[in-house]
């Protein structure tokens, strides 16, 4: 029997790469999708249309984090060996506008899932996607798994609640439950309202005459950016250990939004000064500072290290935008 994995958030960037990673290792992969009038499955469409994959080794199920009955039913039916919990409202800026639904999905949704897992007769290994945003404005830099959380956004606070609940259920109820503390991770499949994708997409569109300028918020903001494909490998590795524990995944290198702009625009032969402007609409009420991670534990125990660097990632993302629009040079 192949191992079975269930993924919440399977249609997202990480969910789609994780699906490919698991299928490549012989897993039977099940995904939870929300039933809406428009089904956003573009990141999985190459698998969905493949009759040798969809319905064979890949299965999608309708359920939702705010509809516990449906989720419990899927969990019981699938009886997975591994459960990857990636779903939730993941835009930090948006969480200032919709804090209640962000907390409902991210915080309470995780607690509901833990309660379901606790009741399962067949034990499952759970991975929960935590975030560097939980550190907020940390006193130490770089951060590791023991650095105290000081979130500065509703999203960060919701993730702290969920992460701490995973720890509590691991210790109090003996669950095999792991938090990944994930720093920013990007790819050509990144959502369009995250800053790297927004910049790479604009650089390509301006180069091809489909857009004139790019409006950004705080370009001095700095992040520890890595590649999503490296991070899903870390998720999987963290569930293959005898003992469950939390792992931090990061590149350990800080870059500014301005660095993203310069690499993306240079990669298509443009001078960013002629096209980029600041717009207060994209500024946030509060920004975290010095979010840079020390992934020593993941390196030592999992043998994990990032393989794709910042410039390679941004250049690939910009190039992918041109390929998708049919105008690659
Ligand atoms: O790309 P961002 O929106 O990512 P952010 O807020 O760091 O959050 C991402 O990474 C977290 C850590 O892994 C995740 F937990 C979270 O779910 C998400 O994946 O913004 C990055 C930086 C921020 O400082 C933001 O203020 O870019 C700055 N920025 C400047 N101009 C902008 C813009 N961000 C966006 N989205 N759009 C702008 O125009």
């Amino acid at each position: 029997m192949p191992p079975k994995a269930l993924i919440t958030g399977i249609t997202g960037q990480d969910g789609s790469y994780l699906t490919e990673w698991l299928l490549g290792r012989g897993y039977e992969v099940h995904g939870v999708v929300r039933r809406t009038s428009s089904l956003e499955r573009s990141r999985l469409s190459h698998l969905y249309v493949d009759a040798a994959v969809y319905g064979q080794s890949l299965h999608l199920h309708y359920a939702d984090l705010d509809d516990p009955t449906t989720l419990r039913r899927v969990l019981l039916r699938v009886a997975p060996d591994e459960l990857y919990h990636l779903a939730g409202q993941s835009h930090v800026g948006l969480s200032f506008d919709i804090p209640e639904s962000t907390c409902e999905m991210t915080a309470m949704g995780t607690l509901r899932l833990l309660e379901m897992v606790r009741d399962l007769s067949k034990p499952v290994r759970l991975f929960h996607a935590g975030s560097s945003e939980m550190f907020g404005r940390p006193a130490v830099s770089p951060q590791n798994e023991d650095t105290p959380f000081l979130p500065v956004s509703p999203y960060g606070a919701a993730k702290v609640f969920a992460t701490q609940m995973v720890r509590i259920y691991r210790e109090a109820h003996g669950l095999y439950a792991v938090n990944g503390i994930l720093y920013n991770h990007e790819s050509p499949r990144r959502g369009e309202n995250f800053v790297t994708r927004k910049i790479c997409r604009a650089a390509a569109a301006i180069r091809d005459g489909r857009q004139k300028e790019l409006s950004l918020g705080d370009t001095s903001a700095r992040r520890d950016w890595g590649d999503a494909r490296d991070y899903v490998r870390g998720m999987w590795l963290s569930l293959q250990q005898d003992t469950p524990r939390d792992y931090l995944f990061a590149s350990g290198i800080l870059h500014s939004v301005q660095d993203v702009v310069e690499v993306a625009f240079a990669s298509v032969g443009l001078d960013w000064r002629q096209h980029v402007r600041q717009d207060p609409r994209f500024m946030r009420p509060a920004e975290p500072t010095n979010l840079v991670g020390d992934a020593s534990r993941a390196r030592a125990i999992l043998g994990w290290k990032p393989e794709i660097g910042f410039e390679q990632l941004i250049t690939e993302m910009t190039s992918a935008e041109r390929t998708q629009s049919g105008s690659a040079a």
Side-chain angles (χ1 to χ4, degrees), residues 240-273:
Q240 312 311 310
Q241 311 307 310
D242 291 339
T243 308
R245 58 199 307 188
D246 297 343
Y247 295 95
L248 182 152
F249 297 102
S251 76
I253 303 167
L254 273 174
H255 286 280
S256 64
V257 173
Q258 179 63 28
D259 292 338
V260 179
V261 167
E262 291 179 17
V263 173
F265 278 71
S267 77
V268 289
L270 289 176
D271 179 0
W272 64 271
R273 290 175 196 79

PDB file of all heavy atoms in Angstrom, residues 240-273:
ATOM      1  N   GLN A 240       9.409  12.765   8.590  1.00  0.00           N
ATOM      2  CA  GLN A 240      10.035  11.445   8.420  1.00  0.00           C
ATOM      3  C   GLN A 240      10.930  11.071   9.609  1.00  0.00           C
ATOM      4  O   GLN A 240      11.682  10.106   9.546  1.00  0.00           O
ATOM      5  CB  GLN A 240      10.864  11.390   7.110  1.00  0.00           C
ATOM      6  CG  GLN A 240      10.157  11.904   5.863  1.00  0.00           C
ATOM      7  CD  GLN A 240       8.757  11.308   5.688  1.00  0.00           C
ATOM      8  OE1 GLN A 240       8.576  10.082   5.763  1.00  0.00           O
ATOM      9  NE2 GLN A 240       7.768  12.172   5.466  1.00  0.00           N
ATOM     10  N   GLN A 241      10.861  11.838  10.695  1.00  0.00           N
ATOM     11  CA  GLN A 241      11.745  11.618  11.844  1.00  0.00           C
ATOM     12  C   GLN A 241      11.037  10.789  12.917  1.00  0.00           C
ATOM     13  O   GLN A 241       9.815  10.801  12.991  1.00  0.00           O
ATOM     14  CB  GLN A 241      12.172  12.968  12.442  1.00  0.00           C
ATOM     15  CG  GLN A 241      12.681  13.955  11.416  1.00  0.00           C
ATOM     16  CD  GLN A 241      13.785  13.391  10.540  1.00  0.00           C
ATOM     17  OE1 GLN A 241      14.758  12.828  11.041  1.00  0.00           O
ATOM     18  NE2 GLN A 241      13.652  13.522   9.225  1.00  0.00           N
ATOM     19  N   ASP A 242      11.828  10.115  13.761  1.00  0.00           N
ATOM     20  CA  ASP A 242      11.223   9.306  14.824  1.00  0.00           C
ATOM     21  C   ASP A 242      10.498  10.184  15.841  1.00  0.00           C
ATOM     22  O   ASP A 242       9.438   9.819  16.346  1.00  0.00           O
ATOM     23  CB  ASP A 242      12.309   8.500  15.557  1.00  0.00           C
ATOM     24  CG  ASP A 242      12.877   7.411  14.650  1.00  0.00           C
ATOM     25  OD1 ASP A 242      12.179   7.038  13.676  1.00  0.00           O
ATOM     26  OD2 ASP A 242      14.017   6.963  14.884  1.00  0.00           O
ATOM     27  N   THR A 243      11.095  11.335  16.149  1.00  0.00           N
ATOM     28  CA  THR A 243      10.526  12.205  17.182  1.00  0.00           C
ATOM     29  C   THR A 243       9.994  13.488  16.553  1.00  0.00           C
ATOM     30  O   THR A 243      10.705  14.136  15.786  1.00  0.00           O
ATOM     31  CB  THR A 243      11.635  12.591  18.202  1.00  0.00           C
ATOM     32  OG1 THR A 243      12.259  11.388  18.636  1.00  0.00           O
ATOM     33  CG2 THR A 243      11.068  13.353  19.384  1.00  0.00           C
ATOM     34  N   PRO A 244       8.747  13.868  16.883  1.00  0.00           N
ATOM     35  CA  PRO A 244       8.219  15.119  16.320  1.00  0.00           C
ATOM     36  C   PRO A 244       8.794  16.335  17.029  1.00  0.00           C
ATOM     37  O   PRO A 244       8.853  16.377  18.257  1.00  0.00           O
ATOM     38  CB  PRO A 244       6.709  14.998  16.593  1.00  0.00           C
ATOM     39  CG  PRO A 244       6.604  14.116  17.793  1.00  0.00           C
ATOM     40  CD  PRO A 244       7.776  13.180  17.752  1.00  0.00           C
ATOM     41  N   ARG A 245       9.244  17.326  16.264  1.00  0.00           N
ATOM     42  CA  ARG A 245       9.694  18.596  16.839  1.00  0.00           C
ATOM     43  C   ARG A 245       9.567  19.685  15.795  1.00  0.00           C
ATOM     44  O   ARG A 245       9.360  19.391  14.616  1.00  0.00           O
ATOM     45  CB  ARG A 245      11.113  18.495  17.370  1.00  0.00           C
ATOM     46  CG  ARG A 245      12.132  18.091  16.343  1.00  0.00           C
ATOM     47  CD  ARG A 245      13.411  17.570  16.968  1.00  0.00           C
ATOM     48  NE  ARG A 245      13.958  18.505  17.932  1.00  0.00           N
ATOM     49  CZ  ARG A 245      15.151  18.367  18.516  1.00  0.00           C
ATOM     50  NH1 ARG A 245      15.906  17.317  18.220  1.00  0.00           N
ATOM     51  NH2 ARG A 245      15.608  19.248  19.362  1.00  0.00           N
ATOM     52  N   ASP A 246       9.651  20.926  16.241  1.00  0.00           N
ATOM     53  CA  ASP A 246       9.491  22.057  15.326  1.00  0.00           C
ATOM     54  C   ASP A 246      10.801  22.343  14.591  1.00  0.00           C
ATOM     55  O   ASP A 246      11.888  22.171  15.154  1.00  0.00           O
ATOM     56  CB  ASP A 246       9.046  23.298  16.098  1.00  0.00           C
ATOM     57  CG  ASP A 246       7.687  23.116  16.754  1.00  0.00           C
ATOM     58  OD1 ASP A 246       6.963  22.173  16.359  1.00  0.00           O
ATOM     59  OD2 ASP A 246       7.349  23.901  17.656  1.00  0.00           O
ATOM     60  N   TYR A 247      10.664  22.813  13.353  1.00  0.00           N
ATOM     61  CA  TYR A 247      11.845  23.168  12.552  1.00  0.00           C
ATOM     62  C   TYR A 247      11.628  24.525  11.907  1.00  0.00           C
ATOM     63  O   TYR A 247      10.529  24.827  11.426  1.00  0.00           O
ATOM     64  CB  TYR A 247      12.077  22.137  11.433  1.00  0.00           C
ATOM     65  CG  TYR A 247      12.415  20.767  11.944  1.00  0.00           C
ATOM     66  CD1 TYR A 247      11.424  19.805  12.102  1.00  0.00           C
ATOM     67  CD2 TYR A 247      13.729  20.437  12.284  1.00  0.00           C
ATOM     68  CE1 TYR A 247      11.725  18.539  12.587  1.00  0.00           C
ATOM     69  CE2 TYR A 247      14.033  19.173  12.776  1.00  0.00           C
ATOM     70  CZ  TYR A 247      13.034  18.230  12.925  1.00  0.00           C
ATOM     71  OH  TYR A 247      13.335  16.987  13.410  1.00  0.00           O
ATOM     72  N   LEU A 248      12.707  25.297  11.855  1.00  0.00           N
ATOM     73  CA  LEU A 248      12.673  26.602  11.180  1.00  0.00           C
ATOM     74  C   LEU A 248      13.328  26.450   9.806  1.00  0.00           C
ATOM     75  O   LEU A 248      14.404  25.857   9.689  1.00  0.00           O
ATOM     76  CB  LEU A 248      13.417  27.611  12.057  1.00  0.00           C
ATOM     77  CG  LEU A 248      13.510  29.057  11.621  1.00  0.00           C
ATOM     78  CD1 LEU A 248      13.646  29.958  12.859  1.00  0.00           C
ATOM     79  CD2 LEU A 248      14.685  29.286  10.686  1.00  0.00           C
ATOM     80  N   PHE A 249      12.673  26.981   8.778  1.00  0.00           N
ATOM     81  CA  PHE A 249      13.206  26.910   7.413  1.00  0.00           C
ATOM     82  C   PHE A 249      13.418  28.330   6.889  1.00  0.00           C
ATOM     83  O   PHE A 249      12.463  29.118   6.798  1.00  0.00           O
ATOM     84  CB  PHE A 249      12.251  26.144   6.493  1.00  0.00           C
ATOM     85  CG  PHE A 249      12.075  24.710   6.910  1.00  0.00           C
ATOM     86  CD1 PHE A 249      10.939  24.305   7.603  1.00  0.00           C
ATOM     87  CD2 PHE A 249      13.051  23.764   6.632  1.00  0.00           C
ATOM     88  CE1 PHE A 249      10.781  22.984   8.005  1.00  0.00           C
ATOM     89  CE2 PHE A 249      12.899  22.440   7.040  1.00  0.00           C
ATOM     90  CZ  PHE A 249      11.759  22.057   7.720  1.00  0.00           C
ATOM     91  N   ALA A 250      14.666  28.638   6.568  1.00  0.00           N
ATOM     92  CA  ALA A 250      15.021  29.992   6.124  1.00  0.00           C
ATOM     93  C   ALA A 250      16.305  29.930   5.310  1.00  0.00           C
ATOM     94  O   ALA A 250      17.058  28.959   5.394  1.00  0.00           O
ATOM     95  CB  ALA A 250      15.236  30.881   7.348  1.00  0.00           C
ATOM     96  N   SER A 251      16.553  31.011   4.554  1.00  0.00           N
ATOM     97  CA  SER A 251      17.807  31.069   3.800  1.00  0.00           C
ATOM     98  C   SER A 251      18.931  31.648   4.644  1.00  0.00           C
ATOM     99  O   SER A 251      20.109  31.425   4.370  1.00  0.00           O
ATOM    100  CB  SER A 251      17.626  31.934   2.543  1.00  0.00           C
ATOM    101  OG  SER A 251      17.626  33.310   2.893  1.00  0.00           O
ATOM    102  N   GLY A 252      18.558  32.439   5.675  1.00  0.00           N
ATOM    103  CA  GLY A 252      19.562  33.072   6.521  1.00  0.00           C
ATOM    104  C   GLY A 252      20.118  34.364   5.922  1.00  0.00           C
ATOM    105  O   GLY A 252      21.054  34.948   6.462  1.00  0.00           O
ATOM    106  N   ILE A 253      19.528  34.832   4.812  1.00  0.00           N
ATOM    107  CA  ILE A 253      20.034  36.045   4.153  1.00  0.00           C
ATOM    108  C   ILE A 253      18.891  37.044   3.980  1.00  0.00           C
ATOM    109  O   ILE A 253      17.807  36.681   3.516  1.00  0.00           O
ATOM    110  CB  ILE A 253      20.635  35.705   2.765  1.00  0.00           C
ATOM    111  CG1 ILE A 253      21.753  34.668   2.924  1.00  0.00           C
ATOM    112  CG2 ILE A 253      21.157  36.958   2.071  1.00  0.00           C
ATOM    113  CD1 ILE A 253      22.194  34.044   1.609  1.00  0.00           C
ATOM    114  N   LEU A 254      19.166  38.303   4.354  1.00  0.00           N
ATOM    115  CA  LEU A 254      18.149  39.356   4.195  1.00  0.00           C
ATOM    116  C   LEU A 254      18.326  40.102   2.880  1.00  0.00           C
ATOM    117  O   LEU A 254      19.453  40.413   2.496  1.00  0.00           O
ATOM    118  CB  LEU A 254      18.273  40.376   5.334  1.00  0.00           C
ATOM    119  CG  LEU A 254      17.516  40.099   6.627  1.00  0.00           C
ATOM    120  CD1 LEU A 254      17.887  41.138   7.676  1.00  0.00           C
ATOM    121  CD2 LEU A 254      16.006  40.094   6.399  1.00  0.00           C
ATOM    122  N   HIS A 255      17.197  40.378   2.220  1.00  0.00           N
ATOM    123  CA  HIS A 255      17.198  41.249   1.043  1.00  0.00           C
ATOM    124  C   HIS A 255      16.043  42.229   1.209  1.00  0.00           C
ATOM    125  O   HIS A 255      15.047  41.925   1.866  1.00  0.00           O
ATOM    126  CB  HIS A 255      16.979  40.441  -0.246  1.00  0.00           C
ATOM    127  CG  HIS A 255      18.178  39.658  -0.661  1.00  0.00           C
ATOM    128  ND1 HIS A 255      19.245  40.218  -1.317  1.00  0.00           N
ATOM    129  CD2 HIS A 255      18.488  38.351  -0.501  1.00  0.00           C
ATOM    130  CE1 HIS A 255      20.151  39.294  -1.553  1.00  0.00           C
ATOM    131  NE2 HIS A 255      19.724  38.145  -1.063  1.00  0.00           N
ATOM    132  N   SER A 256      16.168  43.392   0.550  1.00  0.00           N
ATOM    133  CA  SER A 256      15.081  44.370   0.617  1.00  0.00           C
ATOM    134  C   SER A 256      14.150  44.196  -0.583  1.00  0.00           C
ATOM    135  O   SER A 256      14.513  43.563  -1.597  1.00  0.00           O
ATOM    136  CB  SER A 256      15.648  45.795   0.611  1.00  0.00           C
ATOM    137  OG  SER A 256      16.307  46.028  -0.617  1.00  0.00           O
ATOM    138  N   VAL A 257      12.957  44.791  -0.457  1.00  0.00           N
ATOM    139  CA  VAL A 257      12.036  44.812  -1.604  1.00  0.00           C
ATOM    140  C   VAL A 257      12.739  45.504  -2.777  1.00  0.00           C
ATOM    141  O   VAL A 257      12.619  45.085  -3.936  1.00  0.00           O
ATOM    142  CB  VAL A 257      10.730  45.546  -1.216  1.00  0.00           C
ATOM    143  CG1 VAL A 257       9.824  45.745  -2.424  1.00  0.00           C
ATOM    144  CG2 VAL A 257       9.995  44.781  -0.116  1.00  0.00           C
ATOM    145  N   GLN A 258      13.536  46.519  -2.454  1.00  0.00           N
ATOM    146  CA  GLN A 258      14.292  47.222  -3.491  1.00  0.00           C
ATOM    147  C   GLN A 258      15.236  46.262  -4.240  1.00  0.00           C
ATOM    148  O   GLN A 258      15.389  46.349  -5.463  1.00  0.00           O
ATOM    149  CB  GLN A 258      15.086  48.369  -2.839  1.00  0.00           C
ATOM    150  CG  GLN A 258      15.929  49.174  -3.795  1.00  0.00           C
ATOM    151  CD  GLN A 258      15.099  49.900  -4.851  1.00  0.00           C
ATOM    152  OE1 GLN A 258      13.945  50.247  -4.620  1.00  0.00           O
ATOM    153  NE2 GLN A 258      15.684  50.100  -6.033  1.00  0.00           N
ATOM    154  N   ASP A 259      15.846  45.329  -3.520  1.00  0.00           N
ATOM    155  CA  ASP A 259      16.725  44.328  -4.175  1.00  0.00           C
ATOM    156  C   ASP A 259      15.920  43.495  -5.174  1.00  0.00           C
ATOM    157  O   ASP A 259      16.412  43.164  -6.256  1.00  0.00           O
ATOM    158  CB  ASP A 259      17.345  43.374  -3.150  1.00  0.00           C
ATOM    159  CG  ASP A 259      18.349  44.049  -2.227  1.00  0.00           C
ATOM    160  OD1 ASP A 259      18.887  45.104  -2.616  1.00  0.00           O
ATOM    161  OD2 ASP A 259      18.568  43.515  -1.117  1.00  0.00           O
ATOM    162  N   VAL A 260      14.689  43.139  -4.795  1.00  0.00           N
ATOM    163  CA  VAL A 260      13.839  42.358  -5.708  1.00  0.00           C
ATOM    164  C   VAL A 260      13.596  43.173  -6.975  1.00  0.00           C
ATOM    165  O   VAL A 260      13.726  42.664  -8.103  1.00  0.00           O
ATOM    166  CB  VAL A 260      12.484  41.978  -5.057  1.00  0.00           C
ATOM    167  CG1 VAL A 260      11.618  41.189  -6.038  1.00  0.00           C
ATOM    168  CG2 VAL A 260      12.681  41.207  -3.762  1.00  0.00           C
ATOM    169  N   VAL A 261      13.269  44.450  -6.782  1.00  0.00           N
ATOM    170  CA  VAL A 261      13.012  45.337  -7.924  1.00  0.00           C
ATOM    171  C   VAL A 261      14.230  45.361  -8.843  1.00  0.00           C
ATOM    172  O   VAL A 261      14.114  45.183 -10.074  1.00  0.00           O
ATOM    173  CB  VAL A 261      12.693  46.777  -7.422  1.00  0.00           C
ATOM    174  CG1 VAL A 261      12.731  47.770  -8.573  1.00  0.00           C
ATOM    175  CG2 VAL A 261      11.347  46.809  -6.715  1.00  0.00           C
ATOM    176  N   GLU A 262      15.401  45.562  -8.265  1.00  0.00           N
ATOM    177  CA  GLU A 262      16.600  45.729  -9.094  1.00  0.00           C
ATOM    178  C   GLU A 262      16.935  44.456  -9.865  1.00  0.00           C
ATOM    179  O   GLU A 262      17.255  44.507 -11.056  1.00  0.00           O
ATOM    180  CB  GLU A 262      17.770  46.201  -8.222  1.00  0.00           C
ATOM    181  CG  GLU A 262      17.511  47.645  -7.760  1.00  0.00           C
ATOM    182  CD  GLU A 262      18.605  48.228  -6.869  1.00  0.00           C
ATOM    183  OE1 GLU A 262      19.723  47.682  -6.847  1.00  0.00           O
ATOM    184  OE2 GLU A 262      18.323  49.238  -6.204  1.00  0.00           O
ATOM    185  N   VAL A 263      16.831  43.302  -9.220  1.00  0.00           N
ATOM    186  CA  VAL A 263      17.149  42.044  -9.919  1.00  0.00           C
ATOM    187  C   VAL A 263      16.122  41.780 -11.027  1.00  0.00           C
ATOM    188  O   VAL A 263      16.471  41.437 -12.162  1.00  0.00           O
ATOM    189  CB  VAL A 263      17.195  40.852  -8.928  1.00  0.00           C
ATOM    190  CG1 VAL A 263      17.348  39.526  -9.685  1.00  0.00           C
ATOM    191  CG2 VAL A 263      18.334  41.013  -7.931  1.00  0.00           C
ATOM    192  N   ALA A 264      14.837  41.971 -10.702  1.00  0.00           N
ATOM    193  CA  ALA A 264      13.779  41.666 -11.683  1.00  0.00           C
ATOM    194  C   ALA A 264      13.883  42.573 -12.913  1.00  0.00           C
ATOM    195  O   ALA A 264      13.856  42.100 -14.057  1.00  0.00           O
ATOM    196  CB  ALA A 264      12.409  41.810 -11.027  1.00  0.00           C
ATOM    197  N   PHE A 265      14.023  43.879 -12.661  1.00  0.00           N
ATOM    198  CA  PHE A 265      14.065  44.812 -13.804  1.00  0.00           C
ATOM    199  C   PHE A 265      15.351  44.634 -14.606  1.00  0.00           C
ATOM    200  O   PHE A 265      15.319  44.656 -15.853  1.00  0.00           O
ATOM    201  CB  PHE A 265      13.884  46.268 -13.323  1.00  0.00           C
ATOM    202  CG  PHE A 265      12.439  46.626 -13.116  1.00  0.00           C
ATOM    203  CD1 PHE A 265      11.717  46.089 -12.061  1.00  0.00           C
ATOM    204  CD2 PHE A 265      11.779  47.466 -13.998  1.00  0.00           C
ATOM    205  CE1 PHE A 265      10.370  46.394 -11.872  1.00  0.00           C
ATOM    206  CE2 PHE A 265      10.426  47.775 -13.827  1.00  0.00           C
ATOM    207  CZ  PHE A 265       9.723  47.234 -12.759  1.00  0.00           C
ATOM    208  N   ALA A 266      16.470  44.406 -13.932  1.00  0.00           N
ATOM    209  CA  ALA A 266      17.733  44.203 -14.662  1.00  0.00           C
ATOM    210  C   ALA A 266      17.652  42.936 -15.517  1.00  0.00           C
ATOM    211  O   ALA A 266      18.200  42.887 -16.628  1.00  0.00           O
ATOM    212  CB  ALA A 266      18.894  44.107 -13.674  1.00  0.00           C
ATOM    213  N   SER A 267      16.943  41.907 -15.028  1.00  0.00           N
ATOM    214  CA  SER A 267      16.894  40.639 -15.764  1.00  0.00           C
ATOM    215  C   SER A 267      16.156  40.770 -17.102  1.00  0.00           C
ATOM    216  O   SER A 267      16.303  39.917 -17.973  1.00  0.00           O
ATOM    217  CB  SER A 267      16.256  39.532 -14.910  1.00  0.00           C
ATOM    218  OG  SER A 267      14.864  39.677 -14.868  1.00  0.00           O
ATOM    219  N   VAL A 268      15.351  41.835 -17.231  1.00  0.00           N
ATOM    220  CA  VAL A 268      14.685  42.054 -18.530  1.00  0.00           C
ATOM    221  C   VAL A 268      15.213  43.320 -19.210  1.00  0.00           C
ATOM    222  O   VAL A 268      14.581  43.878 -20.114  1.00  0.00           O
ATOM    223  CB  VAL A 268      13.137  42.110 -18.392  1.00  0.00           C
ATOM    224  CG1 VAL A 268      12.578  40.741 -18.087  1.00  0.00           C
ATOM    225  CG2 VAL A 268      12.697  43.119 -17.334  1.00  0.00           C
ATOM    226  N   GLY A 269      16.384  43.795 -18.734  1.00  0.00           N
ATOM    227  CA  GLY A 269      17.055  44.912 -19.393  1.00  0.00           C
ATOM    228  C   GLY A 269      16.370  46.255 -19.213  1.00  0.00           C
ATOM    229  O   GLY A 269      16.436  47.111 -20.097  1.00  0.00           O
ATOM    230  N   LEU A 270      15.710  46.463 -18.048  1.00  0.00           N
ATOM    231  CA  LEU A 270      15.025  47.743 -17.805  1.00  0.00           C
ATOM    232  C   LEU A 270      15.681  48.505 -16.656  1.00  0.00           C
ATOM    233  O   LEU A 270      16.223  47.888 -15.718  1.00  0.00           O
ATOM    234  CB  LEU A 270      13.551  47.501 -17.431  1.00  0.00           C
ATOM    235  CG  LEU A 270      12.588  47.024 -18.516  1.00  0.00           C
ATOM    236  CD1 LEU A 270      11.219  46.764 -17.887  1.00  0.00           C
ATOM    237  CD2 LEU A 270      12.469  48.044 -19.643  1.00  0.00           C
ATOM    238  N   ASP A 271      15.584  49.852 -16.712  1.00  0.00           N
ATOM    239  CA  ASP A 271      16.026  50.690 -15.604  1.00  0.00           C
ATOM    240  C   ASP A 271      14.808  50.925 -14.701  1.00  0.00           C
ATOM    241  O   ASP A 271      13.867  51.625 -15.094  1.00  0.00           O
ATOM    242  CB  ASP A 271      16.560  52.019 -16.161  1.00  0.00           C
ATOM    243  CG  ASP A 271      17.010  52.954 -15.040  1.00  0.00           C
ATOM    244  OD1 ASP A 271      16.902  52.569 -13.855  1.00  0.00           O
ATOM    245  OD2 ASP A 271      17.454  54.065 -15.370  1.00  0.00           O
ATOM    246  N   TRP A 272      14.826  50.367 -13.505  1.00  0.00           N
ATOM    247  CA  TRP A 272      13.653  50.435 -12.618  1.00  0.00           C
ATOM    248  C   TRP A 272      13.262  51.872 -12.296  1.00  0.00           C
ATOM    249  O   TRP A 272      12.089  52.165 -12.060  1.00  0.00           O
ATOM    250  CB  TRP A 272      13.915  49.646 -11.321  1.00  0.00           C
ATOM    251  CG  TRP A 272      15.014  50.204 -10.483  1.00  0.00           C
ATOM    252  CD1 TRP A 272      16.342  49.893 -10.555  1.00  0.00           C
ATOM    253  CD2 TRP A 272      14.904  51.201  -9.465  1.00  0.00           C
ATOM    254  NE1 TRP A 272      17.056  50.625  -9.648  1.00  0.00           N
ATOM    255  CE2 TRP A 272      16.193  51.433  -8.956  1.00  0.00           C
ATOM    256  CE3 TRP A 272      13.833  51.920  -8.927  1.00  0.00           C
ATOM    257  CZ2 TRP A 272      16.457  52.354  -7.951  1.00  0.00           C
ATOM    258  CZ3 TRP A 272      14.081  52.838  -7.910  1.00  0.00           C
ATOM    259  CH2 TRP A 272      15.377  53.057  -7.437  1.00  0.00           C
ATOM    260  N   ARG A 273      14.246  52.791 -12.287  1.00  0.00           N
ATOM    261  CA  ARG A 273      13.969  54.190 -11.894  1.00  0.00           C
ATOM    262  C   ARG A 273      12.894  54.825 -12.773  1.00  0.00           C
ATOM    263  O   ARG A 273      12.179  55.725 -12.346  1.00  0.00           O
ATOM    264  CB  ARG A 273      15.247  55.033 -11.990  1.00  0.00           C
ATOM    265  CG  ARG A 273      16.280  54.691 -10.933  1.00  0.00           C
ATOM    266  CD  ARG A 273      17.572  55.448 -11.136  1.00  0.00           C
ATOM    267  NE  ARG A 273      18.646  54.854 -10.376  1.00  0.00           N
ATOM    268  CZ  ARG A 273      19.320  53.766 -10.737  1.00  0.00           C
ATOM    269  NH1 ARG A 273      19.054  53.154 -11.867  1.00  0.00           N
ATOM    270  NH2 ARG A 273      20.273  53.280  -9.966  1.00  0.00           N
TER     271      ARG A 273
END
